[in-house]
Structure formats: structure tokens, C-alpha cells
Amino acid sequence: MKLKNVFASRWGIIAVGALIGVLATLLQKFGNPPNMGICVACFERDIAGALGLHRAEVVQYLRPEIIGFVLGSFLSALLFREFRPRAGSAPIARFVLGVFAMIGALVFLGCPWRAILRLAGGDWNAILGLAGLAAGIWIGTLFLKGGYNLGRSQSTYPSVGLMMPIIMLGFLAFIFLNPHIPGEPKSGILFYSLKGPGSMSAPLWISLAAGLVIGILAQQSRFCTMGAIRDLILFRQTHLFGGIAALLVFAFLSNFFLGQFHPGFQNQPIAHNLHVWNFAGMTLAGLAFALAGGCPGRQLFLSGEGDGDAAVFVVGMIVGAAISHNFGLASSPAGIGPHGAAAVIVGLIVCLFIGFTMRHKSA
Amino acid sequence: MSAVVDARGLSCPQPVMMTLNRIEALGKGVIEVLVDTDTSMENVARLAKNKGWSVKEIQDEGTGYKLVLEK
């Protein structure tokens, strides 16, 4: 039998959540956008922009943290003999869930990680987002209790499991072959923001190293923000919740000491205070995460350990970001996009369709 | 009385839900649970302990694990 996995213990996951909280606030100190030391949704959106899949000039940067997350998880899975190539569990449904998860997250302006980091930075609008997230996950648990599942995956060729790590190595090569030229919005094939959140970043090596460390630890600890709330509702189990509670507490403490804590509803960075849409956007995202079985961070870590279905969800999120910005669905500090409200409603209908129609009573 | 829960290929939280259903249906006895990832193995073992069942054995079967739970 394998060595006992200390990171999957109660104190292990609390330590990992605490470390993510501190690293995220430090990344912000080193240059990442305010209350956005780490945001999986925002960073995947920035990657979509860097690749030119959307042309929103303020959110274009190939974020090294995301590359680090996948490669760190991949290395960890290899090291601990947990790399298991698998795929084939309703990939197109997972793609669609990824698209709408991103659309919902960009109406709120953040993934669950950023929602917690926003709260830890004093942005009280995040309370609405987190409440919406919990509501969406609660709806997801009703489907789970009713027999919803996406079906079994199959073990498959190692190369299928290697796809996402290889894609991330390709992204890393893009960064080195097309480095940012100060003052230039484009370098070779990559777009670079000159203003807005996309122009704010910690140095490449710091971002990449932080991503790798988090990738390794999150793979081992199974850190998942959606799972934390889902398990609490479904099983009254607090194991994963310890991780996100630690993230909140330590990010708050770190923000406080770094002078990054600014409480209030008004004038918060990269945020709006339309309470209904903060709530509804994250309800959509939470439901999509619950139906897909993981928060955006967890999907990245799973894709690194060989889960081809999680990889499809990630690709769905990147495409969803492009759709969000091309079709005017994403919010900005000025408020929601012209079609953001309609997209949330369509997304909820699509998620309900998936939830109601994919049921299989398995003993 | 023994029962088998085959949760191979299913992702979170299905293996835990299926094991929980069987634990509640049986009350006591022996349950064999088949899973294919380390995460599922850990989650099922944690559930069993929380529900007062003991994890008698965890066999590494190469492509996954077989857990033997008992109460």
C-alpha cells in the first residue's frame, strides 16, 4: 500500500488552503491585479485574450499561474503514481458546462477562488457572489440526490491524459518565443494588454513557481472550493471546507499586514455592485461546477493527473471566455454586459436541461 | 452479508454517494467498494470511518483500488 497522503488529512488541506491564501495575496503584492492574486476564471479569460480568441484589450495575458497549476499537478501525479489517463464521460456536456460556468463567473467577475480573495480583501460584493455560488451548488446537490451523473469514464491511452500538460508546455513555449515587448500590444502571435487587469502581473518566474507549488499541493490535497460547499450540503462533511476557510482567513490576515484590505461595497477593484447579478452569475457558475464535479481550479488539477473529461471542461471555460467578451456577456466595473443577463438565464436553462435529463439510477 | 459497490469510472461525489446508500441500506455487514482513483479511495475510506465502519483492507489492483469495509 502507498504511503499515507498527509495532504489529504484534515490539517493537510487546511495548510494547503492557508498557503494558497498567502501566495495569492503575495502574487498581488508582486504585481497581479487587486483582489486577483489568483483567479482561475479571470486567468483563463486572459489566456483566451492572449491567444486572440477575444479582442478585449484590457484582459490579454498568457497567465503562467494556469500553466503552473496543470504542470504542477502533472508532476505530482507522476511522483505519487496517481497519473491515470481516463476520458469518455459525456465530454460535450462537460464542454457546455465549462462554457456557461465561465459566462456566469464573468458576470460576477471571478471564480470561487477570487470570490474568497475578494472577500478577504474587504470587497463585500463577494458576499453576494459566494451566496449565489452556494445556491447554485445547492441546486446541483438536488440533482445529485435525484440520480444525476455524467456516466463513467474509461481508462485510455496515456497520450490522452498527456494532452493538457502538453498544451500547457506549448503555452509556456509561446511565452518564451513571444515575450512581452514593453509598450507593444502584440509580440509575435500573442496579445498583451497595455492597460487594465491584463497589464498587471507578477514577474513570470514568480507566477510560474507559485502555480507549480499550488498545482503540486492542490493535486495531493484534492483542494476544491465547489466540493467544499457541496460536501457540506450533501454529507454534512467539513473536510474540504477546512481548506477554503483557511484560504479566507489567511488571505485576510496577509492582506491586512500587506495593506491590501479595503472594506466596502463601493469602488472595489475589478468589481461591480449589482447585487442581483453578482448573485445570479455565481448561481449559474456554482450549478455548472456542481454538475461537472469540480471548481475551475480542481478541473485544472484533474486535467493534469490524466482526466481528459476535466480537460474538456477547461477548454469549455476558455472558449466560454471568448464568447463572453465577443458577445458582450462579461461584466466590467461599469456593470454587466449588454447581453449578460440574457446569457445567465439561458445558461441556467441549459444547466437545468442537463440536470434533469442525465439521470441514471446506479446502485 | 456482503455487497459490492462498483464506482469505477465515476467522479466525485458518486463513489461516496453510492457507498453511503449501501451503508444506510445494510446497517452492518461487509461492503466491497471498487474505485479507480486515489481521490475516490480516500473519500470512501473517510466516509466509512465517519459512519463508524472500519476499513479492513485496501487492495491496489493496478487500475484502481478495492476497499473492504466492515461493521
Side-chain angles (χ1 to χ4, degrees):
Chain A
M1 214 179 123
K2 293 175 34 156
L3 289 171
K4 190 166 163 52
N5 177 357
V6 292
F7 292 110
S9 67
R10 174 150 204 87
W11 288 107
I13 190 148
I14 288 173
V16 170
L19 187 79
I20 292 174
V22 172
L23 282 179
T25 51
L26 285 174
L27 282 169
Q28 187 186 321
K29 189 76 186 169
F30 283 122
N32 276 7
N35 292 349
M36 202 193 282
I38 298 169
C39 171
V40 176
C42 316
F43 287 6
E44 287 175 350
R45 180 265 323 270
D46 293 349
I47 289 176
L51 299 173
L53 300 179
H54 69 69
R55 300 297 166 94
E57 290 179 355
V58 291
V59 283
Q60 296 173 321
Y61 177 52
L62 215 161
R63 295 276 177 190
E65 289 88 349
I66 299 293
I67 296 170
F69 282 3
V70 175
L71 294 181
S73 167
F74 173 62
L75 291 175
S76 172
L78 283 185
L79 190 65
F80 294 99
R81 294 177 43 235
E82 294 184 4
F83 183 76
R84 289 187 198 273
R86 54 197 191 272
S89 167
I92 185 65
R94 291 176 188 270
F95 177 85
V96 170
L97 289 170
V99 168
F100 282 107
M102 180 62 95
I103 289 173
L106 291 181
V107 167
F108 164 68
L109 290 173
C111 70
W113 290 37
R114 183 170 190 242
I116 297 169
L117 291 172
R118 280 173 59 172
L119 185 60
D123 177 354
W124 302 147
N125 298 298
I127 296 167
L128 279 301
L130 287 167
L133 178 72
I137 295 169
W138 173 71
I139 297 169
T141 63
L142 297 180
F143 285 117
L144 287 166
K145 284 182 189 164
Y148 165 84
N149 77 70
L150 288 171
R152 290 177 199 267
S153 63
Q154 309 287 326
S155 81
T156 181
Y157 303 104
S159 48
V160 173
L162 287 171
M163 282 297 154
M164 195 50 104
I166 290 172
I167 288 171
M168 290 296 155
L169 281 175
F171 283 176
L172 194 58
F174 285 176
I175 295 178
F176 289 121
L177 294 172
N178 308 277
H180 187 213
I181 305 160
E184 292 293 323
K186 206 165 178 218
S187 169
I189 60 168
L190 292 184
F191 291 86
Y192 285 92
S193 294
L194 297 179
K195 55 185 170 54
S199 68
M200 301 172 172
S201 64
L204 168 64
W205 289 107
I206 292 179
S207 294
L208 191 60
L212 281 168
V213 168
I214 292 172
I216 291 168
L217 296 177
Q219 191 277 334
Q220 277 297 289
S221 66
R222 333 302 185 195
F223 184 87
C224 179
T225 55
M226 184 287 295
I229 297 171
R230 178 200 63 204
D231 288 356
L232 197 62
I233 297 172
L234 206 50
F235 307 122
R236 303 274 176 263
Q237 210 182 75
T238 57
H239 173 75
L240 287 172
F241 200 84
I244 64 168
L247 199 168
L248 175 65
V249 170
F250 278 80
F252 162 72
L253 291 173
S254 182
N255 274 332
F256 191 78
F257 288 114
L258 292 169
Q260 295 176 165
F261 182 74
H262 307 290
F265 277 103
Q266 305 293 330
N267 301 319
Q268 290 291 345
I270 317 154
H272 60 78
N273 52 12
L274 300 172
H275 300 325
V276 169
W277 294 108
N278 278 331
F279 182 90
M282 281 307 254
T283 302
L284 170 59
L287 177 55
F289 300 144
L291 294 178
C295 75
R298 180 74 185 141
Q299 303 278 1
L300 284 172
F301 308 130
L302 284 169
S303 76
E305 60 174 62
D307 187 336
D309 296 317
V312 171
F313 183 91
V314 171
V315 174
M317 284 195 73
I318 292 173
V319 172
I323 292 171
S324 278
H325 282 282
N326 289 340
F327 297 173
L329 316 181
S331 299
S332 71
I336 61 169
H339 304 297
V344 168
I345 293 164
V346 170
L348 285 170
I349 292 169
V350 170
C351 285
L352 292 176
F353 169 74
I354 289 174
F356 277 117
T357 55
M358 299 191 191
R359 288 158 184 261
H360 177 68
K361 275 285 179 194
S362 50
Chain B
M1 177 167 181
S2 120
V4 177
V5 172
D6 183 358
R8 287 173 296 184
L10 292 169
S11 51
C12 287
Q14 299 299 329
V16 172
M17 290 184 74
M18 290 164 71
T19 308
L20 181 61
N21 287 344
R22 195 56 63 92
I23 280 177
E24 287 176 347
L26 286 181
K28 60 180 181 176
V30 177
I31 303 174
E32 283 182 15
V33 186
L34 304 172
V35 295
D36 64 345
T37 65
D38 291 79
T39 306
S40 296
M41 179 265 284
E42 291 162 5
N43 290 345
V44 168
R46 191 179 299 118
L47 169 83
K49 286 171 193 161
N50 285 347
K51 292 287 163 187
W53 285 58
S54 58
V55 181
K56 300 301 281 184
E57 201 180 340
I58 300 177
Q59 284 177 24
D60 187 344
E61 300 192 317
T63 55
Y65 297 94
K66 181 167 91 176
L67 296 95
V68 181
L69 314 178
E70 191 181 285
K71 184 176 180 181

